């Protein structure tokens, strides 16, 4: 697939305040997120991705006092690679004394709203890494911002993907249900109100792997409840003891999500 690049002109970037500092080769790339709230409407409106790019650039230049948007590239929800500083240019995102060792790519996810990347974003991140290797001499490392710097960036879902080796979506075998479940997180997953966290993301990912139409985003909202109700109904029909059909992921529903064979 041809890499789809959004130029600085296309996202209406401001010109840099100062001349760039050249960078020749690095150990690799560090992955970042926006932090804060990311509007869920980005998923269906690419124009909002462009607007978020401008918002980030304005903060970097007007609040942080940096010369430009801090990252080499950004990756959005529509498998678009948005040009930041680009290859061969020193970034400003990795931390003092660390920028010369790695390029920087930001995924447009945060720590509320949209918190977990979709497959198109993961593809776009890896497309950006490919460009940095081909055009900027980036090494083979793909690390999170938190590797070597005291930060939560790039957030739990994105960092979990980095720790798994940053695989292309679809490149790993699908998990096979019917195996032991991970430890129950100790809290009930329910809606309303919406609940957020890594445990939600883990359960959603497992349900997606079972074949349910559910996007793992780390937020247990109405769609997660719908899937839970349907799964519990299926369990009851097959004689799997999960208690009530209530749309709440308790310990028995959690275990069944892994241990119940796919029919």
């Amino acid at each position: 697939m041809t890499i789809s690049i959004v130029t600085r002109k296309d996202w209406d970037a401001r010109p840099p305040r100062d001349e760039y500092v050249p960078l020749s080769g690095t150990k690799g790339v560090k992955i970042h997120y926006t932090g804060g709230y990311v509007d869920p409407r980005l998923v269906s409106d690419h124009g909002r991705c462009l607007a978020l790019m401008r918002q980030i650039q304005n903060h970097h230049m007007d609040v942080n006092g940096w010369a430009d948007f801090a990252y080499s590239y950004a990756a959005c929800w529509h498998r678009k690679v948005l040009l930041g500083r680009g290859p061969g240019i020193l970034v400003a995102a990795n931390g003092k004394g660390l920028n010369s060792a790695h390029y920087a790519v930001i995924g447009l996810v945060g720590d509320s709203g949209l918190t977990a990347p979709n497959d198109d974003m993961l593809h776009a991140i890896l497309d950006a890494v490919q460009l940095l290797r081909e055009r900027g001499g980036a090494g083979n490392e793909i690390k999170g911002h938190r590797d070597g710097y005291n930060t939560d960036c790039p957030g739990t879902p994105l960092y979990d993907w980095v720790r798994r080796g940053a695989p292309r979506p679809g490149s790993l075998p699908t998990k096979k249900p019917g195996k032991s479940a991970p430890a129950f997180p100790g809290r009930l997953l329910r809606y309303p109100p919406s609940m957020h966290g890594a445990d939600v993301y883990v359960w959603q990912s497992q349900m997606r792997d079972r074949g349910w139409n559910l996007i793992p985003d780390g937020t247990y909202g109405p769609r997660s409840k719908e899937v839970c109700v349907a799964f519990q109904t299926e369990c009851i029909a097959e004689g799997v003891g999960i208690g009530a059909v209530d749309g709440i992921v308790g310990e028995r529903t959690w275990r069944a999500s892994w241990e119940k064979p796919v029919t």
Side-chain angles (χ1 to χ4, degrees):
M1 179 175 178
T2 303
I3 296 176
S4 180
I5 300 177
V6 177
T7 66
R8 290 174 63 96
K9 180 180 178 181
D10 290 338
W11 63 267
D12 198 20
R14 295 162 59 180
R17 182 178 293 122
D18 300 312
E19 290 188 6
Y20 289 135
V21 176
L23 180 64
S24 179
T26 67
K27 295 178 182 178
V29 180
K30 285 194 172 176
I31 308 303
H32 297 249
Y33 78 156
T34 68
Y37 174 79
V38 175
D39 191 335
R41 291 177 292 180
L42 267 70
V43 174
S44 57
D45 184 354
H46 181 56
R48 293 182 183 273
C49 297
L50 307 185
L52 181 55
M53 290 289 289
R54 294 190 291 272
Q55 178 184 332
I56 294 170
Q57 186 190 37
N58 288 339
H59 189 274
H60 287 176
M61 297 180 71
D62 299 336
V63 178
N64 293 354
W66 295 338
D68 191 15
F69 184 79
Y71 307 95
S72 309
Y73 290 106
C76 82
W77 295 88
H78 311 277
R79 197 168 178 175
K80 304 291 186 183
V81 178
L82 300 104
L83 178 62
R85 299 191 179 199
I89 304 298
L90 184 73
V91 298
N94 294 328
K96 186 176 181 180
L98 301 173
N99 289 315
S100 62
H102 293 85
Y103 287 106
V105 173
I106 182 173
L108 299 185
V109 292
D111 50 25
S112 63
L114 294 172
T115 61
N118 63 0
D119 286 353
D120 279 342
M121 182 177 293
L122 297 180
H123 277 301
I125 290 172
L126 292 175
D127 290 343
V129 170
Q130 179 181 332
L131 290 171
L132 290 167
R133 288 173 175 170
E134 292 176 352
R135 303 178 184 180
N140 291 327
E141 288 186 353
I142 300 179
K143 292 184 174 291
H145 184 198
R146 67 177 67 176
D147 291 319
Y149 190 83
N150 185 19
T151 177
D152 291 333
C153 184
T156 298
L158 194 49
Y159 188 60
D160 285 347
W161 171 74
V162 170
R163 292 182 65 188
R164 293 197 306 272
R168 283 274 180 190
S171 65
L172 292 180
T174 301
K175 302 175 200 172
K176 295 182 179 179
K179 297 184 178 181
S180 297
F184 179 63
R187 66 168 181 163
L188 303 178
L189 306 184
R190 64 170 78 218
Y191 171 85
S194 296
M195 297 180 67
H196 312 276
D199 51 351
V200 176
Y201 178 78
V202 168
W203 180 80
Q204 291 172 326
S205 297
Q206 175 62 9
M207 298 310 289
R208 180 192 60 182
D209 289 346
R210 292 190 69 100
W212 295 95
N213 182 18
L214 181 61
I215 297 174
D217 63 0
T219 298
Y220 194 89
R223 178 55 186 161
S224 293
K225 181 177 181 179
E226 289 175 3
V227 169
C228 182
V229 166
F231 176 67
Q232 289 173 329
T233 302
E234 178 185 277
C235 287
I236 293 292
E238 296 177 11
V240 177
I242 50 87
V245 177
D246 55 12
I248 297 172
V249 182
E251 186 168 3
R252 286 190 287 181
T253 297
W254 178 274
R255 288 202 309 267
S257 300
W258 277 265
E259 296 170 1
K260 175 188 170 299
V262 175
T263 56

